[in-house]
Amino acid sequence: MRNALVSLFLLLVPAAMAGEVLTLDDCLAEAARNNPDLAVARAAVEKAQYARRAEYSGFLPQLSGDASTSRRGSKASDSDPSVTSDNNSFGLTAKQTLYAGGRNRAALESGSASLDSAKASLGAAQADLTYNVRDAFAGLLYVQQQIDLNRAIVARRQDNVDLIDLRYESGRENKGSLLRMQAQLKDAQAELSQAERRLGVARRQLASVLGRDEADAFSVTGTWATVAADAPASFADLMTATPERRRALANVRSARAGVKSARSGYLPDVAASASVSQSGESWMPQGEEWYVGVALSYPFFPGGRNFMDVRAAKAGVKEAEAGLSATDAALLASLEDAYASYLDAVEQVGVQESYVESAEVRAEIARSEYASGLTSFDEWDRIESDLINSRKQYLSVRRAAVVAGAKWEQAQGLSRLPE
């Protein structure tokens, strides 16, 4: 009987298949290439990388050059000749910050935190996209197999109508039984039509996740593989590796760097500079000047801004730390709930499979007994309906288990996208 179930749900070539046929791996690879949300997250990481590199400029010397040429004329009176003079100059200036109150280092720490946050956001986007692809893939596969199942149900309902019609014509069954069988056939035909209409919707949903502009005719192929995951050693350990937690932790680091930057307002700036230039009336000018020096500046009273900046930065740290605590609590609850839901869904697959096996055997026995007059129409009809409903429910719980497994992986921040 188990082999019969496998043949029914896993080895059937869906009648709804047409055109391109995609596996789950095909869909994940295409989504990794084309999904716009993932492209945004990748660009954000690249932007943060360049921004962090830019913060190293505060530790390096600043070099600049300048050149100018001008002509000036003067005339004492209308009768006097004009007097003109040329002035040409060019020079180089170098400046090196020796001490900026820790502001440069704080900017680098903040840039590193922003980069970590962007990477965590990319990890979250990859986990979300993996879930969305698996969910949409399961939705389309479900509709395809639902169409096959509904066609099998329509054929079975038609056989039942033919059987009752013969018994009615021979006077061995009443008209009410025939009308009930005909109503059940119409119901099965309506469910088949509904499933066929949902096929386009499911295909469009998957195409959208894959980044396709057009939902051309395509289908998917795969199995409802579900395996109960072992209990994690610690939900807290899983929580620390999630993108959401890493992003919240990066926010704390960035806020702490903000305090260091704000405190630099209480400290002096020290910089060394040197310049060399040449100037004169001719080009190339021969006059030469040079300068070397060290400058110190200290803001004795900037109107209280430095004090307020520090207070605001400390409040930002409190806000980020509170956000981290809230994130930890929410993630722990989400992980435990996702894991329990996955185990529940996998368990239901086994339960429903047992129901289908028993319904198959009972239906075979009941059909034989009804044909022999050993059981009533109502009993046979009830057993037939129980078989059909069990098959429908079995397909539904298989899909639910796959989606629950995808949700469990998403809660951990896991991705199946190819690199």
Side-chain angles (χ1 to χ4, degrees), residues 137-208:
F137 181 91
L140 180 54
L141 183 61
Y142 171 77
V143 174
Q144 289 176 181
Q145 294 194 1
Q146 188 181 44
I147 289 173
D148 288 316
L149 177 59
N150 286 338
R151 285 176 177 171
I153 292 172
V154 168
R156 190 179 185 94
R157 291 298 193 187
Q158 183 64 63
D159 288 344
N160 291 345
V161 168
D162 295 341
L163 174 61
I164 299 301
D165 189 38
L166 289 174
R167 293 175 67 87
Y168 172 70
E169 292 296 334
S170 63
R172 290 184 296 166
E173 193 57 79
N174 61 64
K175 188 173 184 179
S177 299
L178 176 61
L179 292 175
R180 177 171 175 80
M181 285 292 105
Q182 290 173 342
Q184 289 176 341
L185 174 60
K186 289 181 179 179
D187 182 58
Q189 291 169 337
E191 288 187 356
L192 174 59
S193 297
Q194 292 165 10
E196 291 172 338
R197 287 192 291 270
R198 286 195 295 270
L199 181 64
V201 177
R203 184 182 292 128
R204 166 59 68 183
Q205 289 173 338
L206 180 56
S208 176

Side-chain angles (χ1 to χ4, degrees), residues 188-348:
Q189 291 169 337
E191 288 187 356
L192 174 59
S193 297
Q194 292 165 10
E196 291 172 338
R197 287 192 291 270
R198 286 195 295 270
L199 181 64
V201 177
R203 184 182 292 128
R204 166 59 68 183
Q205 289 173 338
L206 180 56
S208 176
V209 175
L210 298 182
R212 294 191 178 191
D213 295 328
E214 300 294 334
D216 296 330
F218 69 90
S219 58
V220 297
T221 181
T223 62
W224 301 112
T226 52
V227 179
D230 294 332
S234 170
F235 285 106
D237 291 340
L238 287 180
M239 178 264 294
T240 58
T242 61
E244 291 81 0
R245 214 277 178 166
R246 290 189 284 116
R247 187 163 47 200
L249 190 59
N251 290 339
V252 173
R253 290 172 51 208
S254 180
R256 290 173 179 170
V259 173
K260 294 180 181 179
S261 180
R263 283 174 175 166
S264 68
Y266 288 101
L267 301 172
D269 285 354
V270 182
S273 60
S275 67
V276 60
S277 63
Q278 289 183 273
S279 61
E281 292 189 4
S282 62
W283 191 269
M284 296 282 286
Q286 300 301 312
E288 183 175 290
E289 294 182 6
W290 59 270
Y291 166 82
V292 176
V294 176
L296 181 148
S297 63
Y298 182 79
F300 286 97
F301 182 68
R305 170 175 288 276
N306 50 0
F307 176 75
M308 293 302 172
D309 284 348
V310 171
R311 294 292 296 271
K314 288 182 177 179
V317 172
K318 292 181 181 179
E319 178 185 13
E321 289 176 342
L324 177 61
S325 297
T327 298
D328 287 350
L331 285 173
L332 283 173
S334 176
L335 285 166
E336 292 190 30
D337 179 65
Y339 180 68
S341 297
Y342 181 44
L343 292 186
D344 291 346
V346 172
E347 193 174 64
Q348 281 301 308

Side-chain angles (χ1 to χ4, degrees), residues 346-374:
V346 172
E347 193 174 64
Q348 281 301 308
V349 171
V351 171
Q352 196 59 41
E353 185 174 5
S354 298
Y355 274 119
V356 173
E357 290 178 355
S358 66
E360 292 276 4
V361 174
R362 294 181 70 223
E364 183 179 348
I365 295 172
R367 178 176 287 272
S368 176
E369 290 181 344
Y370 178 69
S372 302
L374 299 177

